[in-house]
């Protein structure tokens, strides 16, 4: 009896415990939901204007190096395209020559066939006429030599044709590789210029003006440091007639915009300006600043004269033309025009002379 009465109480106790557990669950959930969120990460400190200037300068420097790579690849594709055209003409001429030689050899073979396939020397020996033999023996030797020469020329023509075809194939491979380099460099140039312009566009109008002043101050500091070396006291060489003509041509472009890859007449990049100016003076020089630095004769700073080219930065990614009195003319960068500036306003790598 007592055991039966206790069972309902036990069941009720279990029911109450379950109910309490169910009721308790939302409480813990609400407590968890109410927990404070982690604080947001601290905002990146705002860049100073000098840091922005340095970053923009680095981006344009990278764009200039990529422009040199683009210009060099473009020059090579033009050279290779012209070479492929020349080789194609040589191949066509070689094929016509081989066809003519084959026709000539075929005529000889047909003549022999018409004589019954017996060589003329054998026919002569069988003729029994000594005088005829003596009269025609020399002509037979000449004919044999002509046939040998014909076969030799045919062999040489075929070898030349094979060489032309191989060279054309090599040039085509190089052409395609340089086209890939062009496309890669073009993409990098546009990306770097876009990033630099974006940085500048994010500045307020007064900040952009201050940025321009900072750029000018940096150039002036570099120029002053260069002049303090006493460089102008050492300079005294007179320019040549060609050098003066090149300087006049470069100065005539002042105010025209910098455009990467441009060679004039309405816009220029740095090496496009120097190449165009020296072309006006009758001197052909390489297209890129790096090639101008690599291939043109070097000049000591104390021997510098107007018309010489000053190469800037360790990677030779910029170039200008010395015009005298410690100044140079150059196409600075995207967003700027061809201008006259201090010759020492940037890091000088060296000086070269086109003539």
């Amino acid at each position: 009896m007592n055991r039966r009465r206790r069972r309902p109480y036990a069941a009720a106790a279990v029911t109450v415990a379950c109910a309490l557990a169910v009721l308790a669950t939302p409480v813990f959930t609400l407590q968890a939901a109410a927990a404070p969120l982690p604080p947001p990460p601290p905002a990146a400190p705002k860049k100073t204007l000098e840091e922005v200037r340095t970053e923009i300068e680095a981006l344009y420097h990278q764009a200039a190096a990529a422009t040199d790579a683009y210009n060099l690849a473009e020059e090579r594709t033009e050279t290779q395209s012209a070479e492929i055209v020349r080789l194609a003409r040589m191949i066509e001429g070689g094929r016509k020559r081989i066809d003519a030689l084959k026709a000539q050899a075929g005529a000889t073979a047909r003549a022999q066939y018409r004589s019954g396939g017996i060589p003329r020397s054998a026919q002569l020996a069988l003729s029994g006429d000594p005088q005829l033999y003596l009269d025609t023996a020399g002509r037979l030797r000449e004919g044999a030599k002509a046939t040998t020469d014909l076969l030799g020329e045919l062999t040489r023509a075929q070898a030349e044709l094979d060489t032309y075809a191989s060279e054309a194939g090599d040039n085509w491979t190089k052409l395609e590789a340089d086209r890939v380099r062009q496309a890669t460099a073009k993409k990098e140039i546009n990306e770097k210029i876009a990033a630099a312009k974006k940085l500048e566009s994010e500045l307020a109008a007064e900040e952009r003006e201050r940025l321009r002043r900072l750029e000018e101050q940096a150039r002036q500091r570099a120029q002053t440091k260069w002049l303090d070396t006493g460089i102008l006291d050492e300079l005294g060489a007179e320019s040549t007639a060609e050098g003066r003509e090149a300087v006049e041509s470069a100065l005539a472009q002042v105010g025209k915009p910098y455009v990467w890859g441009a060679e004039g007449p309405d816009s220029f990049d740095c090496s496009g300006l120097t190449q165009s100016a020296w072309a006006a003076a009758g001197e052909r020089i390489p297209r890129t600043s790096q090639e101008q630095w690599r291939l043109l004769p070097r000049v000591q700073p104390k021997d510098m004269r107007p018309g010489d080219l000053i190469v800037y930065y360790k990677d030779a990614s910029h170039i200008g033309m010395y015009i005298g009195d410690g100044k140079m003319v150059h196409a600075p960068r995207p967003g700027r025009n061809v201008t006259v500036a201090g010759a020492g306003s940037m890091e000088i790598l060296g000086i070269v002379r086109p003539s």
Side-chain angles (χ1 to χ4, degrees), residues 79-121:
T79 300
Q80 286 150 4
S81 296
E83 183 65 10
I84 287 170
V85 170
R86 185 188 73 82
L87 288 167
R89 288 174 180 159
M90 298 293 283
I91 289 169
E92 180 63 21
R95 284 176 178 158
K96 289 179 179 178
R97 183 180 167 204
I98 287 172
D99 289 343
L101 290 169
K102 285 180 177 178
Q104 190 176 346
T108 302
R110 286 192 296 273
Q112 185 175 341
Y113 176 77
R114 284 193 296 270
S115 67
I118 301 174
R120 292 182 64 192
S121 58

Side-chain angles (χ1 to χ4, degrees), residues 7 72 84 118 134 177 181 230 233 238-239 313 320 345:
R7 285 177 185 165
L72 182 59
I84 287 170
I118 301 174
L134 292 173
R181 291 189 190 97
D233 297 334
E238 291 291 328
S239 181
Y313 305 117
S345 58

